Amino acid sequence: MLHFDRFRFDGANQRLEEPAGAIRLNPKAFEVLRVLIERPGQLVLKNQLLDEVWPDTHVADGVLKVC
């Protein structure tokens, strides 16, 4: 469980919460957030995100805009 600002990130249960309750994220958006949270203070390159969230899958660069 990780707390940041007013949010609580529960990676084990794939939940993001704020004081008002759970924030619904689709699974890929949650994975993008997980990758970023695991690297605080680091620059995460687009290719790193694509490789970790969409392994062995060809996706267009625009997929990150949606997430």
Side-chain angles (χ1 to χ4, degrees), residues 9-65:
F9 179 85
D10 181 355
N13 295 304
Q14 295 190 341
R15 291 180 56 91
L16 179 65
E17 298 177 352
E18 63 177 341
I23 298 172
R24 292 186 182 262
L25 293 175
N26 70 48
K28 292 299 186 187
F30 188 87
E31 285 301 307
V32 168
L33 181 58
R34 179 192 58 78
V35 171
L36 296 173
I37 285 174
E38 289 177 349
R39 294 162 178 80
Q42 296 178 26
L43 175 65
V44 179
L45 300 176
K46 176 178 60 175
N47 288 342
Q48 288 175 294
L49 280 173
L50 294 175
D51 289 345
E52 282 207 41
V53 178
W54 291 272
D56 304 318
T57 305
H58 177 74
V59 293
D61 291 348
V63 74
L64 291 174
K65 291 179 185 179

